Amino acid sequence: DYLFVREGLVIMVARAFPGHAVATLSLFLSVTSSQGYSDGKSQSSAPAVRVNGFKSLRRVLSRHPLRRAYPPIHAIAEPPSGLQEWFGPGQKFGPQNPAHSVEKPYTNLDVKKNKVEYDKKDSELLREPVHSEIYNDEISITKSAINILKHHGSYQQQNRDLRANREEMEKSYQFMLRLKVPCGITTPDVYRVLDDLSTEYGQDDLKATTRMAWQLHGVKKGQLKHVIKTIREAGSNTLGGCGDINRNVMTSPAPFETPAYRNMRKYASIIAEVLAPQSDAFSQIWLDGEKQATIEYWNRYVDGVDIAAMAKYDNGLGVMTGHKDEPLYGKTYLPRKFKIAVTVEGDNSLDLYINDVGLVVLMEDDGVTLKGFNVVVGGGMGRT
């Protein structure tokens, strides 16, 4: 076991299984030196230090088998020649220039195989062609707009019951909306709004998803903006419900109010906010560019946390792309969706191992103080 302190975080490598898809780590928050997030100041110059008699992880990794998981970062001044169109202002890293050297880097340059990647690249950070097409007189949108609209929490669909009647089928375009519901918690006020919207503008039903979210079906294109704006004004959101970004963050559904379960909901809500797209395309398209007046209800769990500072924080390990407006996601966002779940020890009601990243809250012996998290990596498409 090794401990390492940097930017207010204490990381303990508890166990590793070389060659396996899943590694178990423990991430411990340093209560006394977490100012790097709380006040937005960087402590990147803080060296690795000795903690509680354990060796420095930085020193040990140079000769430890885990070193394979931390290849050196190669920085460039400009994007690769001929590929500048794939990089936004200030962006250094992306699929065409990974921060860490790999033998076969992922490429987006085959249009037939990667049409969605080209649509994201040309979308002006998820604006177009949704912004242009949502106001025209057509009852449907193009495939490129469909690919971008997903990131706003909506899919275009047709009434499957009309498949036998092609003419009626062509007239049946409608939209599904999926809400962002961190922890699976919905307030009574939001639920009443959803119930009313589904009756007046949808197909008079609501569907609960396996990721603890709500889906509203049957909304016509001309009513889509009003429905999304109403949901946002009620204190909820559809941004992050779908698309190639971090999806809804799940937790155990158990309604317990112990310190462990409260920390579970707190950090799930923090993750949901920190990993949300930073583009203002959502407000421009659906809220007429107005600043969001109503705070999402799950922010009650993150009161006092500087989400904006955390979302822009760069630990120097090649996670951030450098993009001015989308520092984490960059110009093309993720190649596919990403799923995270948080639970407590002994509660696997959400099936932690099928998520890309899973966190297990660990408490000190007093049952009150947060000790840290066990981190499970490699689920989702990597495991199933």
Side-chain angles (χ1 to χ4, degrees):
D1 290 351
Y2 303 100
L3 288 181
F4 170 61
V5 176
R6 187 165 183 241
E7 288 85 38
L9 293 179
V10 183
I11 303 176
M12 182 180 81
V13 180
R15 190 175 302 160
F17 305 93
H20 287 242
V22 178
T24 304
L25 306 175
S26 292
L27 176 63
F28 288 80
L29 299 181
S30 171
V31 178
T32 59
S33 57
S34 60
Q35 297 178 10
Y37 287 151
S38 62
D39 62 8
K41 297 179 181 179
S42 173
Q43 296 180 356
S44 59
S45 60
V49 298
R50 188 181 182 90
V51 180
N52 295 337
F54 290 93
K55 297 178 181 179
S56 162
L57 179 62
R58 178 182 292 173
R59 186 170 65 251
V60 173
L61 281 179
S62 63
R63 57 182 182 276
H64 193 274
L66 277 177
R67 185 172 183 267
R68 293 193 300 270
Y70 296 87
I73 297 176
H74 70 89
I76 56 173
E78 298 291 339
S81 178
L83 299 178
Q84 288 86 352
E85 63 176 327
W86 291 90
F87 295 79
Q91 185 174 350
K92 295 190 300 182
F93 303 128
Q96 290 74 27
N97 184 57
H100 301 275
S101 299
V102 291
E103 294 181 2
K104 295 181 179 180
Y106 178 85
T107 177
N108 295 330
L109 303 182
D110 188 330
V111 180
K112 292 182 179 179
K113 292 183 179 180
N114 293 295
K115 177 65 166 61
V116 176
E117 299 301 309
Y118 276 77
D119 287 338
K120 289 186 290 185
K121 173 181 69 70
D122 297 333
S123 71
E124 299 177 21
L125 298 183
L126 307 180
R127 287 175 179 79
E128 296 294 348
V130 174
H131 195 219
S132 299
E133 295 188 21
I134 205 67
Y135 297 109
N136 64 29
D137 296 329
E138 299 294 328
I139 63 174
S140 62
I141 58 177
T142 63
K143 289 183 177 180
S144 292
I146 291 173
N147 290 333
I148 302 306
L149 183 63
K150 292 177 182 179
H151 299 79
H152 295 261
S154 181
Y155 286 86
Q156 178 175 274
Q157 299 176 333
Q158 288 178 284
N159 189 337
R160 299 174 183 175
D161 296 334
L162 299 176
R163 287 175 177 172
N165 189 328
R166 186 177 182 84
E167 183 177 349
E168 290 299 317
M169 183 78 169
E170 289 298 319
K171 299 177 183 178
S172 70
Y173 285 105
Q174 54 188 274
F175 293 82
M176 177 274 287
L177 285 169
R178 182 183 298 150
L179 273 67
K180 176 180 179 179
V181 190
C183 312
I185 298 174
T186 303
T187 66
D189 289 341
V190 169
Y191 183 82
R192 280 192 290 268
V193 168
L194 295 177
D195 193 10
D196 292 342
L197 289 173
S198 67
T199 299
E200 187 172 356
Y201 300 102
Q203 57 187 32
D204 203 21
D205 64 6
L206 288 171
K207 295 184 179 181
T209 76
T210 55
R211 289 203 67 80
M212 309 177 81
W214 292 109
Q215 286 186 181
L216 193 159
H217 291 257
V219 180
K220 298 299 183 182
K221 178 188 166 188
Q223 300 161 337
L224 193 59
K225 178 179 178 180
H226 172 73
V227 173
I228 291 178
K229 185 176 182 179
T230 302
I231 292 172
R232 183 64 193 85
E233 290 174 342
S236 189
N237 213 329
T238 60
L239 180 64
C242 320
D244 297 337
I245 51 181
N246 179 60
R247 296 291 189 89
N248 197 46
V249 181
M250 295 179 65
T251 62
S252 164
F256 303 137
E257 286 297 330
T258 66
Y261 279 91
R262 285 196 293 270
N263 275 294
M264 173 192 74
R265 288 185 280 271
K266 173 183 178 179
Y267 285 94
S269 300
I270 289 174
I271 291 170
E273 287 298 285
V274 169
L275 301 187
Q278 301 297 305
S279 170
D280 61 359
F282 185 89
S283 62
Q284 288 187 357
I285 296 173
W286 311 111
L287 307 178
D288 298 318
E290 298 176 2
K291 185 178 180 180
Q292 299 178 357
T294 307
I295 298 176
E296 291 99 334
Y297 59 83
W298 53 84
N299 276 278
R300 63 185 178 184
Y301 296 115
V302 300
D303 187 37
V305 179
D306 192 340
I307 296 296
M310 294 182 72
K312 297 177 181 179
Y313 175 73
D314 189 348
N315 63 7
L317 298 179
V319 175
M320 307 302 274
T321 68
H323 193 290
K324 179 174 67 70
D325 300 311
E326 284 285 9
L328 175 63
Y329 289 120
K331 191 174 183 177
T332 54
Y333 295 83
L334 299 180
R336 284 295 277 120
K337 57 190 175 184
F338 198 83
K339 297 180 176 180
I340 299 175
V342 187
T343 190
V344 305
E345 286 187 278
D347 184 345
N348 196 28
S349 54
L350 47 61
D351 201 350
L352 195 73
Y353 288 93
I354 68 171
N355 291 271
D356 296 294
V357 171
L359 301 178
V360 182
V361 173
L362 302 178
M363 303 299 291
E364 296 286 2
D365 293 340
D366 61 11
V368 176
T369 307
L370 176 66
K371 184 177 183 181
F373 303 88
N374 273 346
V375 182
V376 180
V377 183
M381 293 183 292
R383 183 176 176 86
T384 61

